[in-house]
Amino acid sequence: MRRIRIPALATAILVALMLPVSLTTPASAAAPTVDVRPLPLPVGDSPSVPYLHRPSSESVSVVDPATGMKTPVALVGDDLDEFTLLGRSGSGFVLRVRNRNIDRIVRVQLDVAQRSLTDMYYADKARLSADGRYLLKTATLSSGGIQAQVRSATTGAVVARHTFRAATRPDPIDVSGTRVLLGAYSTPRTLVWDWKAGTVKTIASRAAYAGSFATNRLATYTKDPSNLDACSVVSTVTAPATTLWRGCLEAFASFSPDGARFATNAIEHENHADVVRRRSLRGTLLTTYRNPNGLWMYAWETNTRILMRSHPSSGTPWLVRCEATDCERAWRAYS
């Protein structure tokens, strides 16, 4: 990590001396497995990505690691509010807040009044575009359809909308110009909706659920992930038919910032969450992280360093940082 306890050259020599000769050759080296139960791990620096700070049920803020400043978040209901940080948007942050009958997207920014961007329904989806400019969401209509919406992540104003049949279950993922990348599930598909041209085109026969136009990366499901024969596929947006990796027991969770690696969790139909795997773009296993108490991918801090939400045997979960096999506690996981 950032603290170097032993000079790198000395460490390399020591490790080489301790390992059997057969394990020092790349061809025979096995990907390591690391136990990341948080409490035995040393405490390191705070995360280098934005994160939530909630020292009490009434006090909530978003910490900006670039400045160290804390942006307060006002409760929209009461101290039972649950917050999900969707990400950074310009000089502010966008969060989803849930509390009993409340489900809302809000924007917070230092020295600017908190703004409600839109109300949500419990099954509706919401995320930020990769550049943080747009809030992408679905809205369940009284007519029975589901509307995909592109909204300003600053004001909440609707930029574009398109209504789909409810069975389609659209999932807007990213924006490039006037093109929106979407997943659909009635018949699994990946769609590109161009709101200027007024067109919706199918580019793959699998349902997209993550991706980025900027890095040309795409993750899709062959079926609804709750189905026992569903699999997860990694490809590119420009060549979605070319499979780079396919998993039917684990599912893609997050791409590294440069798109050269990705992390996986167990796929939904496996009904457990105790392993995170770090892989190269074409699926080569790099590291396996495990915690029988629960483990989920949280975020990439760099192209190689990841944060995971890790549970102790009891008590509050932590964000655990790992660079290959070197792991430490980073922060209490308030989200």
Side-chain angles (χ1 to χ4, degrees):
M1 308 296 169
R2 301 188 184 104
R3 301 189 310 278
I4 301 176
R5 302 178 182 86
I6 304 175
L9 180 58
T11 300
I13 294 171
L14 179 62
V15 170
L17 290 173
M18 293 175 66
L19 286 174
V21 174
S22 61
L23 292 182
T24 64
T25 59
S28 60
T33 297
V34 184
D35 188 348
V36 293
R37 279 174 279 195
L39 297 185
L41 296 174
V43 178
D45 295 334
S46 298
S48 60
V49 295
Y51 58 95
L52 285 179
H53 178 53
R54 192 171 189 176
S56 70
S57 57
E58 297 87 7
S59 175
V60 186
S61 59
V62 181
V63 183
D64 185 346
T67 63
M69 300 296 290
K70 295 178 181 177
T71 300
V73 183
L75 301 178
V76 300
D78 54 34
D79 58 8
L80 296 179
D81 282 356
E82 296 181 358
F83 295 88
T84 301
L85 178 60
L86 299 185
R88 185 193 297 274
S89 174
S91 300
F93 301 93
V94 178
L95 303 94
R96 186 169 183 172
V97 192
R98 293 182 173 99
N99 186 338
R100 292 189 289 271
N101 296 323
I102 297 172
D103 192 345
R104 188 171 300 164
I105 306 294
V106 300
R107 179 187 175 89
V108 297
Q109 185 174 334
L110 274 178
D111 303 321
V112 176
Q114 181 166 309
R115 179 191 289 268
S116 175
L117 298 182
T118 184
D119 286 329
M120 303 288 291
Y121 181 64
Y122 79 96
D124 291 344
K125 300 177 182 295
R127 72 181 85 199
L128 287 177
S129 58
D131 60 10
R133 293 180 57 196
Y134 298 106
L135 172 65
L136 306 175
K137 62 161 286 188
T138 57
T140 302
L141 307 179
S142 58
S143 62
I146 297 179
Q147 192 172 86
Q149 298 180 354
V150 179
R151 290 175 175 261
S152 164
T154 302
T155 66
V158 176
V159 176
R161 66 185 82 194
H162 186 88
T163 301
F164 296 84
R165 295 183 300 109
T168 301
R169 292 166 53 198
D171 182 7
I173 294 166
D174 195 23
V175 175
S176 175
T178 61
R179 296 182 303 147
V180 183
L181 184 68
L182 303 101
Y185 281 92
S186 54
T187 300
R189 289 169 292 160
T190 297
L191 309 173
V192 173
W193 156 42
D194 188 322
W195 75 71
K196 183 177 182 180
T199 58
V200 178
K201 296 181 180 179
T202 298
I203 65 168
S205 58
R206 303 181 305 272
Y209 67 99
S212 165
F213 281 113
T215 59
N216 192 26
R217 298 292 181 262
L218 181 66
T220 55
Y221 283 126
T222 58
K223 295 183 179 180
D224 187 297
S226 62
N227 289 344
L228 294 180
D229 55 350
C231 298
S232 174
V233 176
V234 167
S235 65
T236 62
V237 176
T238 53
T242 302
T243 296
L244 300 177
W245 172 84
R246 178 185 177 99
C248 302
L249 298 179
E250 56 187 296
F252 162 87
S254 179
F255 287 112
S256 62
D258 64 357
R261 299 164 191 82
F262 64 92
T264 69
N265 280 118
I267 199 166
E268 185 178 327
H269 62 67
E270 288 298 290
N271 198 31
H272 66 85
D274 55 10
V275 174
V276 171
R277 292 181 173 88
R278 194 169 61 98
R279 294 183 175 275
S280 72
L281 181 60
R282 292 189 175 274
T284 301
L285 181 60
L286 303 174
T287 321
T288 297
Y289 303 100
R290 64 185 180 188
N291 179 351
N293 302 317
L295 188 66
W296 296 265
M297 178 63 191
Y298 184 79
W300 292 83
E301 287 192 306
T302 68
N303 291 324
T304 58
R305 191 170 68 226
I306 65 175
L307 288 171
M308 293 167 285
R309 193 169 186 264
S310 180
H311 277 259
S313 56
S314 62
T316 304
W318 286 79
L319 294 181
V320 169
R321 169 189 295 113
C322 291
E323 179 82 52
T325 60
D326 186 13
C327 299
E328 62 189 16
R329 281 181 284 166
W331 193 254
R332 289 191 181 276
Y334 297 108
S335 62

